[in-house]
Amino acid sequence: MVMMTQSPGVINNFCLFTDIATRLDPITPCKVSVNSCVVTKGCCSNGFQSSHFSSKNRDKIHRSSHQTTSKKLLCQQQDAISSDDEEYRSSRNIAISLFKRYRNFIDRGGADNLKEFISAGVNAYALGCTDEGLRKELTNIKESGIEIHEMQTYGGATSLKSKICYQEVNECILWLSIIFITILCTPQPTVVRWSPTPPVSDEIKLQWKGFCAIIANAYYLRGMAWLPVKTLQLEQMAVVGRAEEPSVVASRMRLIFSTLEVVSPQWPRV
């Protein structure tokens, strides 16, 4: 995860959204650390190339791997790194990685699975992805009929594959949009974004910024980890004229609080 932390500061009663395009200089390729693997970064849609091992070094390692045990271990380590890095080589791979983690949490639940999805979303934010760009990638996958492998469980392999549906795409991207907006509600800077392109559309930002800001204020100013669902339903009524079911609102709130814990932890871990 690409992250800069700072001591929590006081934020306004409403989330302040600065114009990212005006405060960031044009992007030049640079390196960021993602899952302990170094990748050369440009725009999310342009993909990423691994610089941890050059192709020349990779070939050299494989040719000499039979000579010593240490070189065999190095080769195995390199393969593991390349496997992790593969998820960040293109916006398509990032979209697939996010969707697999989203579905994994929906199917299995668990705080760890949720935070794994959030961490992937934070990486996507840092790498310059947008919600609509990743929606387009998932929609293309859906329309092409490609099946996606399920997540591995406890290190074991799985051959299960399934197609995705539009409802899953929409909900996955909504979750991602909420993560992006939550990051924008944190005292700056918590996550460095290497792109001048806004991560979410103005329409989605308008719909969810108040919702996220209420929770962020409770988290930073009052040290809270939960809010009455009714408070958030009233915010939804004021903004869009309707409120979601209490269980749905509670799941949105959990997503936002968990995102804040990932990008800006306030309490020591037990």
Side-chain angles (χ1 to χ4, degrees), residues 50-69:
S50 171
S51 61
H52 192 94
F53 286 91
S54 66
S55 58
K56 179 180 179 181
N57 288 339
R58 185 182 297 112
D59 293 339
K60 184 177 180 181
I61 289 172
H62 283 285
R63 286 198 304 268
S64 60
S65 62
H66 66 280
Q67 295 178 1
T68 63
T69 302

Side-chain angles (χ1 to χ4, degrees), residues 97-142:
S97 175
L98 280 163
F99 182 81
K100 287 168 64 175
R101 284 163 172 77
Y102 164 78
R103 179 181 275 174
N104 186 55
F105 171 70
I106 294 300
D107 291 344
R108 301 170 183 168
D112 289 342
N113 289 334
L114 175 59
K115 289 190 176 181
E116 189 171 349
F117 170 76
I118 291 170
S119 295
V122 173
N123 280 338
Y125 174 92
L127 293 171
C129 297
T130 66
D131 57 352
E132 287 306 314
L134 294 175
R135 182 196 303 276
K136 182 179 179 180
E137 294 290 355
L138 289 177
T139 300
N140 289 341
I141 292 171
K142 155 63 182 171

Side-chain angles (χ1 to χ4, degrees), residues 21 24-28 196:
L24 290 180
D25 294 329
I27 288 301
T28 56

Side-chain angles (χ1 to χ4, degrees), residues 55-254:
S55 58
K56 179 180 179 181
N57 288 339
R58 185 182 297 112
D59 293 339
K60 184 177 180 181
I61 289 172
H62 283 285
R63 286 198 304 268
S64 60
S65 62
H66 66 280
Q67 295 178 1
T68 63
T69 302
S70 62
K71 290 185 178 180
K72 289 180 180 179
L73 295 175
L74 179 61
C75 181
Q76 292 171 0
Q77 181 186 34
Q78 176 256 317
D79 288 341
I81 292 173
S82 295
S83 177
D84 290 338
D85 184 28
E86 185 67 26
E87 294 184 344
Y88 299 96
R89 287 183 179 274
S90 68
S91 58
R92 180 186 180 89
N93 286 8
I94 292 172
I96 292 174
S97 175
L98 280 163
F99 182 81
K100 287 168 64 175
R101 284 163 172 77
Y102 164 78
R103 179 181 275 174
N104 186 55
F105 171 70
I106 294 300
D107 291 344
R108 301 170 183 168
D112 289 342
N113 289 334
L114 175 59
K115 289 190 176 181
E116 189 171 349
F117 170 76
I118 291 170
S119 295
V122 173
N123 280 338
Y125 174 92
L127 293 171
C129 297
T130 66
D131 57 352
E132 287 306 314
L134 294 175
R135 182 196 303 276
K136 182 179 179 180
E137 294 290 355
L138 289 177
T139 300
N140 289 341
I141 292 171
K142 155 63 182 171
E143 293 176 350
S144 65
I146 296 175
E147 295 182 332
I148 295 179
H149 281 278
E150 301 291 335
M151 289 281 291
Q152 295 181 0
T153 307
Y154 304 113
T158 177
S159 58
L160 295 177
K161 295 191 298 183
S162 60
K163 295 182 179 181
I164 63 178
C165 65
Y166 289 118
Q167 182 177 358
E168 286 181 306
V169 171
N170 291 335
E171 190 66 12
C172 176
I173 295 302
L174 175 57
W175 281 38
L176 184 65
S177 300
I178 291 173
I179 291 173
F180 287 176
I181 295 171
T182 301
I183 293 172
L184 294 175
C185 285
T186 61
Q188 299 295 329
T190 52
V191 181
V192 177
R193 178 173 170 81
W194 298 101
S195 172
T197 306
V200 296
S201 66
D202 291 339
E203 179 182 357
I204 294 297
K205 184 190 296 184
L206 179 62
Q207 181 178 346
W208 288 100
K209 68 178 182 180
F211 189 98
C212 294
I214 290 172
I215 296 172
N217 285 336
Y219 180 81
Y220 286 110
L221 301 181
R222 291 181 281 172
M224 299 176 68
W226 200 254
L227 282 172
V229 169
K230 189 66 176 178
T231 300
L232 299 174
Q233 286 182 308
L234 290 174
E235 166 65 19
Q236 289 184 324
M237 286 291 296
V239 175
V240 297
R242 61 181 177 81
E244 295 177 298
E245 292 295 325
S247 60
V248 176
V249 174
S251 70
R252 311 284 193 222
M253 176 166 47
R254 181 186 182 189

